[in-house]
Amino acid sequence: MENHAEEHIFSGLVHKKYGFGNVGFQMGGEEVTVDFNGVLTAEELGAVENEVNRKIAENLPVLELYPTAGELDAMEYRSKKELTGQVRIIEIPDGDVCACCGTHVLTTGEIGIFKITGMIHYKGGIRVSMLGGMDARKAYQNKQTTVTDMSGRTPAQPEQV
């Protein structure tokens, strides 16, 4: 739920700021990846990462909406496919509005932390790897352990490793 909600905020902000669509999404055992149909620089990704963490810190509600057909026609929302029948919209204020049937946290504060862990060029766009919540904390703890270990094996201080 943490990783899925963070992806909403991240993809929504990329779409809002740069106009790129999320054209692929996978939550794997090790990380979450999102594919976009455009290219962002490392600096742009860093700015979006900071904005995602601000949205998390604001502890915004993750709203679940079931608009009527008429309301849906008047709404602007992200979706990867043509939808029929009752549509469920997930809205994170000033972060995302997206058709989705997945599970999410109730507030952004439940995510805790968001971290981009990598980016590669992929099919004319980019693939971004990320972690959130307890997965991000665990990855940070593992990296800190590695840095401390490496520092102990060399004359370098941890911040130099």
Side-chain angles (χ1 to χ4, degrees):
M1 292 188 312
E2 294 166 346
N3 282 316
H4 193 174
E6 77 177 16
E7 179 275 327
H8 272 283
I9 302 169
F10 180 68
S11 293
L13 291 172
V14 167
H15 180 73
K16 183 177 177 180
K17 186 165 183 158
Y18 300 102
F20 299 144
N22 170 334
V23 295
F25 169 62
Q26 180 170 359
M27 288 196 306
E30 298 292 316
E31 64 187 357
V32 174
T33 61
V34 181
D35 300 338
F36 291 101
N37 59 357
V39 177
L40 297 168
T41 66
E43 292 78 20
E44 290 167 333
L45 285 172
V48 175
E49 177 181 84
N50 288 337
E51 183 63 20
V52 171
N53 279 303
R54 276 193 287 281
K55 298 287 182 205
I56 290 168
E58 290 173 16
N59 199 30
L60 301 167
V62 177
L63 305 170
E64 189 175 300
L65 311 172
Y66 293 91
T68 65
E71 291 169 331
L72 189 64
D73 288 342
M75 269 183 138
E76 285 193 36
Y77 63 94
R78 292 186 312 109
S79 179
K80 288 186 242 174
K81 52 177 104 171
E82 194 67 33
L83 302 171
T84 58
Q86 179 65 66
V87 175
R88 178 174 172 239
I89 299 289
I90 297 300
E91 179 180 353
I92 299 167
D94 295 320
D96 193 25
V97 179
C98 184
C100 183
C101 60
T103 58
H104 310 87
V105 295
L106 297 176
T107 65
T108 60
E110 293 178 57
I111 299 167
I113 188 171
F114 169 75
K115 183 67 186 146
I116 294 173
T117 58
M119 184 273 291
I120 61 170
H121 290 272
Y122 184 73
K123 294 185 178 180
I126 58 170
R127 173 171 284 172
V128 180
S129 303
M130 63 189 76
L131 290 171
M134 293 308 292
D135 291 338
R137 288 184 181 94
K138 182 179 175 184
Y140 181 80
Q141 288 170 334
N142 290 342
K143 285 183 182 184
Q144 186 61 43
T145 299
T146 300
V147 166
T148 301
D149 183 55
M150 295 289 293
S151 176
R153 296 170 188 250
T154 68
Q157 295 297 311
E159 61 275 3
Q160 295 169 317
V161 173

